[in-house]
Amino acid sequence: MLKFLSRAPVHDPQVTATADTEVKTTTCYMCACRCGIRVHLRDGDVRYIDGNPDHPINQGVICAKGSAGIMKQRSPARLTQPLLRKPGAQRGDGEFEPISWERAFDILAERLRHLRATDPKKFALFTGRDQMQALTGLFARQFGTPNYAAHGGFCSVNMAAGMIYTVGGSFWEFGGPDLEHAKVFVMIGTAEDHHSNPMKIALGKFKRAGGRFISINPVRTGYSAIADEWIPIRPGTDGALFMALLHELIATDRIDHDFLRRHTNAPQLVVLDDGEREGLFAFDPEAGVPGDGRNPHNKLAWDTASGQVVQAYPQGIEAGRVLALEGHYTLADGTRVAPSFQLLRERVASCTPEWAAQITGIDAARIRALASELGETALRQAFELPIPWTDAWGHRHETTKGRPVAFHAMRGVAAHSNGFQTVRALAILMSVLGTIDAPGGFRHKAPYPRHIVPNYRAFNDPAMIRPNTPLNAAPLGFPASPEELAIAEDGTPLRIDHAFSWEHPLSAHGLMHNVITNAVRGDPYEIDTLLIFMANMAWNSTMNTMEVRAKLNAKREDGEYRIPFLVVCDAFRSEMVAFADLVLPDTTYLERHDVMSMLDRPISEFDGPVDSVRVPVVKPHAECRPFQEVLVELASRLGFPAFTNEDGTRKFKDYPDFVVNYQAQPGIGFLMGWRGKDGTEHLRGEPNPNQWEMYAKNNCVFRHHLRPDQQYMRNWNRAYLDFAKEKGWRQKNDVVQLALYSDTLQSFRLAAQGKSAGRQPPEHLRERIATYFDPLPFWYAPLEDACIDKAEFPLSAITQRPMAMYHSWDSQNAWLRQIHSHNYLHVNPLTARASGIADGGWAWVRSAWGRVRCMVRYSEAVEPGTVWTWNAIGKASGAWNLSPQADESRKGFLLNHLITEELPFGEGRISNSDPITGQAGWYDVRVNLSPAEPDEADESFPQVGAA
């Protein structure tokens, strides 16, 4: 017992406090970083969480979120049992009656069985920041509905698609900066929670080794705080900067000519003549069909050594060949052609630093200096690693060349309506420097690189939407041409979110932010049941928040809801739960099995594939059940072919049994470690009934180290390409030539111009497709700019996720609330004073779409044309079981109220998204500021109640 003013120690230092503590390992899920953790338990109760030093991702490092996972278990906002909306209660009132799981399953199974037997597309499954899309996507496919999408459409699909369609891989899970070998590191638009702990570890080593860190961001927070140089930039203008850097690098000849000739489509000849082949690559009719996004071979190049046309591969890489990167040529049949690099040079010719300075706010001299630094470092400080390797054409290279310039970018670059072409420009910038999968540059992580375009075609056959019939392809994928769009015979979208339609053809992750608006409008048809998992679509995961909340309550003339049945699965009482008809209580990450799978989003490292699991360290709270178990149970009850035997009996006892025994192809399952009957096979092998136990004994992680000769240049590395095909990561072992010029994009443009046969876009979308589906990157202003008066709304408004919070998951966490209980709008002092707003004062923030009242904080760490706040701190009053007077609702605010989910388009409206991918334009909104009146209430606006 503590004695006041006593010198006696509170604890006996000779007695360990953990003597009676049990330690279990699992994988964190306080963000999407997926660090290894040790959970310390006493009498079955979580007492402490720390990092697992034996885990390859975080090596024992843990952040505030990770250690605060203990308070997630104790959250007052936890849902504890299935709930059914009371008869006569309105959505949003949060009036429920508890029901049993058996009744919940009966209600769902009866409803879904009817829909599957009549019109499967009337069921829609949309999931938030889950990491089990291989399961949820399989469920939708087996059900027979195309209406499935995941979190990426409103997060970073521009980053994923833009890079995958250009270099075959992307940042974060599928690739990243090699800071071990880099000398200059440029980070652009990266949130503080993306790959957080591994990035901190790598940055610390990089800085200690003398590396130079440059941050390009409108705001200097998080990682940027330790940058050697901060270059503030106006939001949505990154593409202009990249185009100017390309201009300078090409104009000053600071580019890797050999890399471009051998490993990209830079020397391949593009047809310049008008017609159905205009802008596509020239080909030899005698060598077969022309190359396209799915079949890249049979393309031509000009050999300057012989003065004649040759096959780009394999002739073009023969000894003595020197493929032209520039010039204009004429083929034997009179066709005018030019290397695609020539067209890139012409494209960036006018993108001078002076041009970019007017757009970005970065001085032209600084842009020139940055281009010079990048080029000089990549080319003049190149190095060789003593790692021999053999390329795909059989040529042996005695060393592996390093290019010590690394980049990293994420949502700040992606979440704009011009993000896809911006990301393309960045990927091409890295490519001309020769940094792709080279030491010190951007490196892939297995199972990437994928083919360009990946051999994963999204479902697109309307005839296959049939009762009680699985789809013949996954709902999500990568279209390579207009023929692969998910459209009906008349050109209307097959999907409720309009993904893979002419509105957003390359929407690889779907458009989750459109589903509610489109479903209420019945566009292109009405749905019956919408199942939302782990997505707060009534608050921070939606645009135009107040209108979307109203749409969730919208009714037809007969008094029935326009979305007849709404199911919400979550672990916590979020703002969305109050609108549900049926609530399914999910478990926390400490209570369930999970897989970070090679079929989905693994945690691979540069040197080889890594997958991991979560295992329960405590029992599920109350009546909570993992959503994975719910899906396996429903799939079994509904008789999905993949989940039942021929006699109709269920194939899998539960989710862990499903993970062990399901095979996507022979020998390939969800987990790659300890396969085979005796657990001695890895990467590929028969199911092992003891696989979960082996993962639990090995820190819940399996790691395979590739041979040194397989670890670099994997787009063109014969040993790696063969190995990846053998292990089921790739469907082909073809080379992955970087697409500086995208014939895939050009195929859509030709259709829009009426120059190609086959599918044609509707008239009102022709100009849109022809404009944005440019095969070369270009910068254009975010689409919202054309819909507003920029003089009236002169400021860009953006959000960031703080290190201590992830989405809205942890605003009910007692420890983390002490770090962020409410948010401010951060404004440069010059901007705030010009608007008459004091530091700490209340202000109105208005956009063309809405207004909020909030508190302002002065900050020199934000460029004067930008205002910003932390995302998802503000809450509806009473949500998450917080006090109605909690700071989160009375002082906190949500920027989403200012953002519209649709923009005017012709005589109608269209999604406020990238026209290519459907990426939500979160960071495009423009606002103005004015001080609140002295007599106004000192609380945020709008105030929204929650049940």
Side-chain angles (χ1 to χ4, degrees):
M1 180 176 180
L2 177 65
K3 297 180 180 179
F4 185 62
L5 297 180
S6 171
R7 293 186 179 181
V10 176
H11 304 289
D12 185 343
Q14 295 181 327
V15 177
T16 175
T18 61
D20 57 348
T21 300
E22 179 185 11
V23 179
K24 295 183 179 180
T25 61
T26 188
T27 304
C28 189
Y29 200 11
M30 293 297 284
C31 75
C33 192
R34 302 166 297 174
C35 297
I37 54 174
R38 299 184 300 193
V39 183
H40 302 253
L41 303 109
R42 183 178 295 156
D43 299 326
D45 190 29
V46 180
R47 306 298 297 170
Y48 182 68
I49 298 174
D50 63 353
N52 185 351
D54 297 321
H55 197 278
I57 296 299
N58 58 311
Q59 303 163 45
V61 173
I62 196 169
C63 68
K65 294 192 298 294
S67 60
I70 185 173
M71 301 311 293
K72 200 157 199 164
Q73 293 301 111
R74 291 165 167 76
S75 167
R78 291 206 59 180
L79 296 165
T80 60
Q81 60 191 127
L83 302 171
L84 186 67
R85 184 163 54 84
K86 289 183 177 180
Q90 298 299 305
R91 286 183 184 167
D93 291 346
E95 296 183 13
F96 299 106
E97 60 181 38
I99 61 173
S100 68
W101 269 106
E102 191 59 33
R103 186 178 176 201
F105 280 126
D106 285 346
I107 291 171
L108 263 179
E110 180 181 359
R111 195 172 195 104
L112 296 183
R113 185 176 292 112
H114 170 73
L115 294 179
R116 189 166 184 259
T118 54
D119 192 352
K121 69 177 183 297
K122 287 186 174 292
F123 169 63
L125 169 59
F126 284 71
T127 73
R129 192 59 182 87
D130 72 295
Q131 295 172 327
M132 53 176 174
Q133 293 168 28
L135 171 61
T136 51
L138 176 65
F139 184 94
R141 180 175 179 177
Q142 287 281 301
F143 188 92
T145 179
N147 291 319
Y148 165 79
H151 167 87
F154 60 53
C155 185
S156 293
V157 69
N158 272 337
M159 183 58 65
M163 287 192 66
I164 289 171
Y165 274 88
T166 306
V167 299
S170 181
F171 285 119
W172 199 9
E173 287 110 331
F174 308 141
D178 180 12
L179 297 187
E180 180 181 354
H181 297 105
K183 296 181 179 179
V184 171
F185 174 48
V186 181
M187 178 181 281
I188 315 108
T190 302
E192 299 177 6
D193 57 348
H194 278 130
H195 211 48
S196 178
N197 288 331
M199 180 58 71
K200 295 170 193 169
I201 296 169
L203 271 175
K205 293 179 180 178
F206 175 76
K207 293 275 288 181
R208 285 191 293 273
R212 178 164 152 73
F213 174 21
I214 301 170
S215 170
I216 302 174
N217 202 306
V219 179
R220 185 170 193 172
T221 58
Y223 305 131
S224 301
I226 65 167
D228 296 285
E229 182 180 7
W230 172 47
I231 302 177
I233 187 172
R234 295 169 184 158
T237 68
D238 307 89
L241 172 63
F242 301 149
M243 296 296 285
L245 292 173
L246 282 167
H247 167 96
E248 281 296 297
L249 291 170
I250 293 172
T252 59
D253 200 28
R254 292 186 175 97
I255 58 177
D256 189 337
H257 293 268
D258 290 340
F259 184 90
L260 290 172
R261 289 189 175 98
R262 195 174 192 88
H263 301 311
T264 79
N265 64 15
Q268 294 173 13
L269 299 176
V270 177
V271 173
L272 303 180
D273 292 338
D274 186 35
E276 63 180 3
R277 294 292 302 172
E278 179 185 358
L280 298 178
F281 289 107
F283 73 104
D284 179 2
E286 295 185 1
V289 298
D292 59 21
R294 286 265 187 258
N295 302 286
H297 302 299
N298 193 11
K299 296 179 181 178
L300 305 178
W302 187 269
D303 176 28
T304 59
S306 62
Q308 62 183 11
V309 171
V310 297
Q311 288 282 341
Y313 300 101
Q315 276 185 292
I317 51 94
E318 294 172 349
R321 303 284 190 191
V322 182
L323 302 185
L325 294 176
E326 300 176 7
H328 291 79
Y329 305 92
T330 303
L331 301 181
D333 63 0
T335 302
R336 295 182 304 113
V337 294
S340 69
F341 188 79
Q342 171 68 33
L343 304 182
L344 176 64
R345 174 187 279 276
E346 294 170 4
R347 169 59 53 85
V348 302
S350 61
C351 300
T352 64
E354 287 75 16
W355 166 82
Q358 296 297 313
I359 298 168
T360 64
I362 303 172
D363 187 74
R366 184 65 197 90
I367 296 174
R368 282 196 172 85
L370 178 59
S372 176
E373 182 174 11
L374 297 176
E376 290 297 311
T377 304
L379 301 177
R380 307 289 179 253
Q381 298 186 46
F383 58 92
E384 308 277 339
L385 292 181
I387 301 176
W389 65 286
T390 301
D391 66 29
W393 306 283
H395 300 153
R396 180 176 171 83
H397 304 260
E398 296 303 325
T399 62
T400 301
K401 182 176 291 186
R403 297 290 190 197
V405 172
F407 294 83
H408 190 52
M410 277 303 295
R411 194 175 186 221
V413 170
H416 295 280
S417 54
N418 60 10
F420 179 85
Q421 290 290 8
T422 291
V423 172
R424 282 262 298 144
L426 173 60
I428 291 170
L429 174 63
M430 294 190 292
S431 299
V432 300
L433 293 170
T435 69
I436 303 302
D437 214 34
F442 168 84
R443 292 187 62 193
H444 292 297
K445 298 177 182 178
Y448 286 75
R450 299 291 196 196
H451 188 65
I452 303 174
V453 175
N455 292 300
Y456 296 93
R457 177 181 56 81
F459 171 77
N460 60 16
D461 184 358
M464 281 299 298
I465 302 178
R466 299 199 299 263
N468 296 321
T469 305
L471 303 180
N472 64 342
L476 303 179
F478 298 88
S481 73
E483 304 311 307
E484 297 184 4
L485 291 180
I487 54 178
E489 190 172 337
D490 63 359
T492 58
L494 285 183
R495 295 171 50 109
I496 192 66
D497 60 355
H498 295 194
F500 306 107
S501 74
W502 285 109
E503 291 181 18
H504 311 284
L506 306 187
S507 43
H509 293 164
L511 279 75
M512 189 167 183
H513 47 291
N514 279 16
V515 61
I516 293 171
T517 295
N518 290 353
V520 168
R521 188 183 291 148
D523 178 14
Y525 45 76
E526 295 181 343
I527 63 171
D528 177 89
T529 298
L530 173 60
L531 197 166
I532 296 285
F533 170 64
M534 201 172 160
N536 199 0
M537 301 303 292
W539 199 245
N540 62 281
S541 291
T542 199
M543 300 167 162
N544 196 14
T545 316
M546 305 305 287
E547 285 296 320
V548 169
R549 291 169 67 88
K551 288 170 182 174
L552 287 168
N553 267 328
K555 295 182 177 181
R556 301 193 300 256
E557 292 181 359
D558 61 4
E560 296 298 318
Y561 286 109
R562 292 194 175 276
I563 301 177
F565 199 65
L566 181 60
V567 186
V568 175
C569 181
D570 208 320
F572 304 100
R573 192 176 287 268
S574 72
E575 287 86 350
M576 185 66 187
V577 169
F579 290 87
D581 298 303
L582 177 65
V583 180
L584 307 177
D586 193 22
T587 54
T588 70
Y589 67 101
L590 298 179
E591 301 169 346
R592 68 168 178 249
H593 292 89
D594 262 336
V595 292
M596 279 58 71
S597 169
M598 289 289 284
L599 300 182
D600 199 343
R601 308 175 76 96
I603 60 171
S604 298
E605 292 284 88
F606 298 142
D607 62 2
V610 187
D611 65 7
S612 63
V613 303
R614 295 186 183 96
V615 295
V617 298
V618 293
K619 294 180 180 179
H621 178 60
E623 297 180 37
C624 298
R625 290 195 184 187
F627 185 56
Q628 299 96 320
E629 293 283 4
V630 172
L631 289 183
V632 172
E633 179 67 26
L634 280 173
S636 301
R637 291 187 180 212
L638 294 172
F640 292 178
F643 290 81
T644 51
N645 299 306
E646 290 185 5
D647 62 0
T649 58
R650 64 187 301 156
K651 188 177 293 186
F652 308 109
K653 179 180 67 175
D654 52 20
Y655 176 67
D657 186 41
F658 166 79
V659 167
V660 167
N661 290 298
Y662 176 80
Q663 296 186 77
Q665 52 180 297
I668 304 295
F670 273 79
L671 294 172
M672 62 180 177
W674 299 285
R675 299 191 67 81
K677 294 296 184 183
D678 56 359
T680 59
E681 300 175 43
H682 300 303
L683 305 183
R684 190 165 196 162
E686 288 185 84
N688 169 22
N690 299 314
Q691 194 174 33
W692 281 105
E693 289 81 354
M694 292 307 300
Y695 272 85
K697 291 177 182 178
N698 288 275
N699 295 301
C700 294
V701 65
F702 173 80
R703 183 178 191 178
H704 174 80
H705 290 274
L706 295 169
R707 297 192 324 242
D709 69 327
Q710 297 173 330
Q711 291 185 17
Y712 296 96
M713 308 300 283
R714 278 165 283 192
N715 295 57
W716 319 277
N717 185 316
R718 173 51 59 206
Y720 176 79
L721 292 171
D722 290 345
F723 182 80
K725 182 183 179 184
E726 175 192 345
K727 302 306 178 184
W729 305 339
R730 294 175 54 81
Q731 295 174 339
K732 300 180 180 180
N733 61 353
D734 291 352
V735 296
V736 184
Q737 293 302 107
L738 309 186
L740 273 63
Y741 184 95
S742 176
D743 53 345
T744 295
L745 295 180
Q746 180 64 10
S747 71
F748 286 90
R749 173 183 263 188
L750 288 173
Q753 294 171 337
K755 296 180 179 180
S756 62
R759 286 177 162 177
Q760 301 285 304
E763 289 302 317
H764 72 285
L765 291 173
R766 283 190 184 274
E767 183 179 358
R768 174 181 164 101
I769 296 288
T771 299
Y772 299 113
F773 276 72
D774 195 306
L776 291 167
F778 71 107
W779 181 83
Y780 57 92
L783 300 184
E784 181 170 322
D785 284 13
C787 304
I788 64 168
D789 182 351
K790 290 178 64 176
E792 182 181 358
F793 302 104
L795 304 172
S796 294
I798 60 174
T799 60
Q800 296 193 101
R801 287 199 295 266
M803 282 190 176
M805 300 281 184
Y806 190 70
H807 297 288
S808 60
W809 294 1
D810 295 301
S811 294
Q812 84 291 357
N813 187 298
W815 288 357
L816 298 178
R817 286 187 67 208
Q818 297 177 59
I819 301 173
H820 298 286
S821 68
H822 61 280
N823 53 322
Y824 296 89
L825 187 72
H826 298 275
V827 185
N828 189 286
L830 294 175
T831 305
R833 292 191 189 109
S835 298
I837 301 170
D839 187 15
W842 287 89
W844 285 101
V845 189
R846 292 178 173 85
S847 74
W849 325 108
R851 62 177 184 150
V852 298
R853 183 172 57 215
C854 61
M855 288 187 288
V856 166
R857 279 295 186 200
Y858 288 5
S859 174
E860 298 281 358
V862 54
E863 72 97 15
T866 301
V867 298
W868 73 276
T869 190
W870 296 126
N871 178 47
I873 303 296
K875 290 286 179 285
S877 178
W880 301 84
N881 274 12
L882 298 174
S883 164
Q885 300 301 315
D887 282 355
E888 282 85 350
S889 58
R890 295 303 168 191
K891 295 181 180 179
F893 71 100
L894 195 67
L895 202 66
N896 303 51
H897 298 312
L898 305 178
I899 306 172
T900 179
E901 88 278 24
E902 292 186 312
L903 295 172
F905 183 74
E907 297 180 357
R909 300 181 68 81
I910 203 165
S911 177
N912 181 15
S913 305
D914 189 291
I916 299 173
T917 64
Q919 160 85 60
W922 289 110
Y923 297 157
D924 290 347
V925 67
R926 298 184 69 87
V927 301
N928 60 35
L929 303 179
S930 61
E933 296 298 326
D935 59 347
E936 292 184 34
D938 287 345
E939 67 177 14
S940 57
F941 176 90
Q943 283 293 309
V944 176

